[in-house]
Amino acid sequence: MSEPQEKERSLNFLEQIVEDDLKSGKHGGRVATRFPPEPNGYLHIGHAKSICLNFGLAQKYDGTFYLRFDDTNPSKEETEYVESIIDDVRWITGDTLHNRIFFASDYFKQMYDWAVELIQKGKAYVCDLSGEEVRATRGTPTEPGKPSPFRERSVEENLDLFERMRKGDFQDGTRTLRAKIDMASPNFNLRDPVMYRIVHAEHHRTGYTWCIYPMYDWAHGLEDSIEKITHSICTLEFEHHRPLYDWFLDQLDGIFRPRQYEFARLGLNYTVMSKRKLLELVRGKHVHGWDDPRMPTIAGLRRRGYTPESIRNFCKTIGVAKFNSTIDVVMLENAIRDDLNKRALRRMGVLHPLKVVIDNYPEGQSEELDAINNPENEADGTRKVPFSKTLYIEQDDFREDAPKKYFRLAPGKEVRLRYAYYITCTDFKKDADGNVIEVHCTYDPQTRGGSSPDGRKVQGTIHWVSADHALDAEVREYDRLFTQPNPDDPSDLNDYKTYLNPDSLRILKGCKLEPSLRDVNPEDRFQFERLGYFCLDKDSTPEKPVFNRTASLRDSWAKVEKKG
RNA sequence: UACCUGGUGGUGUAAUUGGCAACACAAGGGAUUUUGGUUCCCUCGUUCAAGGUUCGAGUCCUUGCCGGGUAGCCA
């Protein structure tokens, strides 16, 4: 932990609030936050912002952080999602969350009892209006709503009806429990909001023990109160819900009083971040699953080779505010490059192989050369790479007609094979279609290791793999899934699919990798020189190794070429 | 149209709470380099507008303009 740097950073507005509360002695100096997802989908990078915020706050102020499932709507929720969310939150925070995972469904009985208390206080009533009728009587921004004809039912009748709702005497949609607040409020949330609805469906945890389920507004503050959350942080669209959040808490005596704060959710260009749309992508088979490396899900980013550190760092640099902003995805891409540059092991890999024969190198001979594992970190040491007469280089690294500033291999030109020898191109062969299929070179035995005794310079250095020793692998390259700057913004479900990038996945077969890549750890990350960062895919087998491209390297060759 | 909420470089986030507008990313330029990567240096904004208070305003007040949110028995 880089403690001194941490203290230099200025506070974001939430840290400011927490510090003020700490100073004033609120909650006895205690800080408790939570991340409260509904288990109705996989987590995505937007959730990461919330997780980092809540976890970071608890960590910074020596508080507690809970993962709480807001599982109050059985029709949308599944155990698969619960498991993936636990996994993802653990991964991002690096915390086991031992004894700190809770479920709203565990509080159903307590919430029910509190609802009864509200009825007894004359603050809630059972309403027989249909959904249609409720909508029709809610009013408009300019006109107040009309009171429900059932608004003045007696406490006894409400108690009886609510009890029968719970026992399953009524069909879905026939009755609700509503809070008696103010049908004329300019805030729609206070126009007698529904607290409970009837849903005869199997809940992934409580089964059929309940057939009435609390609405978000009724449930959320209670959950926070039960868990003694001091700072309940949610996104901006819940701002209008805060008066209701407070109203519900006000009605109950002697309970812990949390407070809600709002921040702007993450907006990333080129990225769809709605669970509904991501679910559509999965169901419609536009991607291979929730953990498809092109998905903005935590599972997808993780499979692609993103590290939790890079995501935490990303969240730190984008900051928190109440302004709805759109962050450029290059920020995220930069975060992973930045992290991987420091830690990824350097390896040589050739994605588009071109055969090179060293004519003056003895047939059947081979030797081992020393290569540095990571110039950014000397502790990573060195390794041996085999060299022989026949090699593979990247197709891009040879040009028949080299442009002016092209530093790589071309007829008559000399380049350095990294960690090996200087070679000079003497000849090349083409196939019937005019594609270069083989390049012939001579090497200078004096330049072993990559430097010459006469001190002559070569402009270019290229990577290579010995043909006889190479590992054959499949490499998957990923591009952005969407081509439009902000498809998630105004467009609807139909529109955003037109922005799907058909070239977002490229599978490269017959890639040649240096033999040390034969036995790698799934957690290892590699930089293939000039190509980018890679990691092993979960589909990989020893017979058929598969690597994912995590991120590309910044490549300014295009700029050089443009300038001529 | 009613209510809520926000507006600081190309993009985001800061500004000791009224005291010389800073940091990151992007872009452009340069240096170093056994890959054109990495690293390092330089350049790029008078804070939505107008008015007011003040010695002094990004910060406080007024008005206007623009953006986002809200009328589920979703969360």
Side-chain angles (χ1 to χ4, degrees):
Chain A
M1 291 285 132
S2 45
E3 213 51 63
Q5 281 181 351
E6 226 45 57
K7 279 174 184 151
E8 292 296 322
R9 276 185 61 236
S10 53
L11 304 178
N12 64 47
F13 83 98
L14 289 169
E15 292 170 332
Q16 191 66 252
I17 287 168
V18 171
E19 291 212 352
D20 288 348
D21 288 346
L22 249 27
K23 227 170 280 173
S24 71
K26 201 169 169 185
H27 308 302
R30 198 173 58 83
V31 175
T33 61
R34 105 265 93 115
F35 173 64
E38 182 189 16
N40 66 347
Y42 277 60
L43 261 26
H44 54 63
I45 183 70
H47 295 107
K49 179 179 180 181
S50 176
I51 295 166
C52 290
L53 216 59
N54 281 294
F55 184 80
L57 231 34
Q59 188 172 250
K60 178 165 184 172
Y61 296 102
D62 205 21
T64 54
F65 167 84
Y66 297 150
L67 168 60
R68 177 178 71 227
F69 288 93
D70 212 354
D71 52 350
T72 57
N73 184 1
S75 57
K76 287 187 176 177
E77 300 155 7
E78 290 176 29
T79 304
E80 177 196 351
Y81 299 137
V82 171
E83 285 163 0
S84 74
I85 289 170
I86 293 175
D87 222 39
D88 289 345
V89 177
R90 280 185 176 147
W91 182 75
I92 286 192
T93 60
D95 190 299
T96 62
L97 301 176
H98 185 62
N99 288 338
R100 294 197 303 283
I101 299 175
F102 301 111
F103 292 83
S105 50
D106 286 340
Y107 313 142
F108 282 169
K109 177 66 169 74
Q110 173 70 81
M111 291 176 186
Y112 177 83
D113 291 343
W114 275 328
V116 168
E117 187 179 332
L118 252 63
I119 294 172
Q120 284 165 339
K121 288 177 171 169
K123 300 288 190 180
Y125 61 96
V126 172
C127 178
D128 302 358
L129 256 30
S130 69
E132 289 283 292
E133 292 167 321
V134 170
R135 200 171 312 129
T137 54
R138 194 169 351 245
T140 67
T142 41
E143 311 158 40
K146 291 185 182 59
S148 161
F150 308 98
R151 201 170 197 259
E152 302 306 331
R153 278 221 252 241
S154 71
V155 169
E156 291 67 33
E157 192 183 0
N158 281 324
L159 250 16
D160 175 60
L161 252 17
F162 188 49
E163 166 68 15
R164 291 175 58 199
M165 277 171 66
R166 199 215 79 213
K167 285 196 329 214
D169 286 1
F170 309 121
Q171 299 279 296
D172 285 11
T174 54
R175 283 185 170 78
T176 57
L177 182 72
R178 297 176 69 181
K180 192 192 280 190
I181 309 180
D182 178 7
M183 288 305 290
S185 171
N187 184 341
F188 279 93
N189 293 310
L190 299 178
R191 318 247 262 226
D192 287 12
V194 172
M195 294 166 64
Y196 275 91
R197 77 287 212 187
I198 301 170
V199 183
H200 290 275
E202 182 177 9
H203 185 280
H204 62 102
R205 293 189 77 243
T206 60
Y208 291 101
T209 56
W210 294 89
C211 65
I212 55 170
Y213 289 90
M215 296 289 290
Y216 167 86
D217 287 301
W218 167 241
H220 208 87
L222 303 181
E223 296 160 17
D224 287 338
S225 178
I226 290 167
E227 294 172 6
K228 298 196 163 40
I229 299 299
T230 58
H231 301 264
S232 175
I233 299 165
C234 63
T235 47
L236 242 30
E237 64 269 25
F238 291 102
E239 250 174 331
H240 328 269
H241 294 246
R242 183 161 16 108
L244 181 54
Y245 180 99
D246 289 334
W247 188 90
F248 280 134
L249 260 14
D250 283 342
Q251 310 313 311
L252 273 2
D253 304 313
I255 59 163
F256 178 80
R257 192 56 196 266
R259 194 189 186 301
Q260 172 183 308
Y261 300 91
E262 308 86 13
F263 73 98
R265 60 161 45 163
L266 173 66
L268 262 188
N269 56 10
Y270 298 101
T271 310
V272 161
M273 220 121 54
S274 119
K275 275 192 199 171
R276 191 174 60 106
K277 292 178 185 176
L278 294 178
L279 182 63
E280 268 292 301
L281 289 176
V282 173
R283 293 225 170 118
K285 310 261 188 227
H286 295 99
V287 294
H288 299 305
W290 286 99
D291 70 343
D292 186 301
R294 293 165 294 177
M295 289 284 271
T297 51
I298 305 301
L301 292 169
R302 181 178 177 178
R303 180 168 173 197
R304 181 155 173 179
Y306 273 67
T307 57
E309 289 82 357
S310 70
I311 290 178
R312 278 188 242 134
N313 246 320
F314 168 71
C315 292
K316 208 180 290 175
T317 56
I318 60 174
V320 216
K322 301 189 77 158
F323 175 65
N324 282 297
S325 56
T326 303
I327 280 137
D328 197 328
V329 269
V330 302
M331 286 267 202
L332 179 62
E333 294 164 356
N334 186 66
I336 187 60
R337 271 196 298 248
D338 197 46
D339 187 30
L340 259 26
N341 175 53
K342 288 176 217 128
R343 69 208 300 176
L345 299 171
R346 270 52 171 184
R347 289 294 183 268
M348 292 199 282
V350 175
L351 267 33
H352 304 276
L354 171 61
K355 190 191 270 188
V356 171
V357 180
I358 312 294
D359 290 325
N360 60 342
Y361 195 84
E363 188 83 45
Q365 182 177 316
S366 74
E367 62 187 299
E368 296 208 303
L369 299 159
D370 290 309
I372 295 165
N373 283 330
N374 183 1
E376 306 286 321
N377 182 7
E378 220 168 295
D380 284 331
T382 61
R383 68 186 184 284
K384 301 282 189 192
V385 283
F387 182 87
S388 63
K389 185 181 178 74
T390 310
L391 315 169
Y392 289 111
I393 65 167
E394 206 64 52
Q395 284 170 21
D396 275 358
D397 288 345
F398 175 82
R399 292 275 183 104
E400 181 182 352
D401 299 302
K404 316 94 231 168
K405 290 200 172 171
Y406 187 78
F407 297 158
R408 307 175 217 174
L409 201 60
K413 281 187 74 174
E414 183 173 51
V415 297
R416 168 166 43 229
L417 292 176
R418 187 153 210 209
Y419 301 125
Y421 294 98
Y422 287 8
I423 58 168
T424 304
C425 173
T426 53
D427 194 13
F428 61 93
K429 286 185 190 154
K430 287 185 179 181
D431 65 10
D433 299 327
N435 301 311
V436 176
I437 52 163
E438 192 174 304
V439 175
H440 285 262
C441 294
T442 56
Y443 84 114
D444 177 354
Q446 299 289 298
T447 56
R448 190 174 197 274
S451 57
S452 66
D454 62 9
R456 75 176 186 278
K457 300 265 185 204
V458 288
Q459 292 218 87
T461 302
I462 63 176
H463 53 276
W464 52 275
V465 169
S466 167
D468 291 343
H469 308 265
L471 169 67
D472 251 291
E474 176 179 314
V475 172
R476 297 177 186 165
E477 293 187 311
Y478 305 95
D479 205 338
R480 289 175 192 156
L481 232 198
F482 298 93
T483 54
Q484 286 293 301
N486 195 3
D488 202 17
D489 191 23
S491 64
D492 66 16
L493 193 65
N494 297 321
D495 281 326
Y496 84 96
K497 280 187 192 159
T498 66
Y499 301 137
L500 272 171
N501 178 6
D503 200 29
S504 60
L505 169 62
R506 283 181 300 273
I507 297 178
L508 309 177
K509 296 181 194 259
C511 300
K512 305 293 183 182
L513 311 180
E514 69 166 76
S516 67
L517 253 0
R518 209 173 297 274
D519 315 295
V520 303
N521 191 307
E523 292 306 308
D524 287 343
R525 303 287 182 273
F526 305 98
Q527 183 190 110
F528 294 173
E529 307 264 18
R530 196 185 260 130
L531 302 175
Y533 299 100
F534 296 81
C535 71
L536 202 63
D537 188 77
K538 69 168 190 184
D539 286 351
S540 193
T541 62
E543 302 77 49
K544 188 186 161 198
V546 178
F547 286 84
N548 287 325
R549 177 187 231 134
T550 305
S552 54
L553 245 41
R554 252 190 223 90
D555 182 11
S556 27
W557 164 241
K559 255 188 265 172
V560 173
E561 200 168 30
K562 196 181 277 182
K563 278 195 283 184

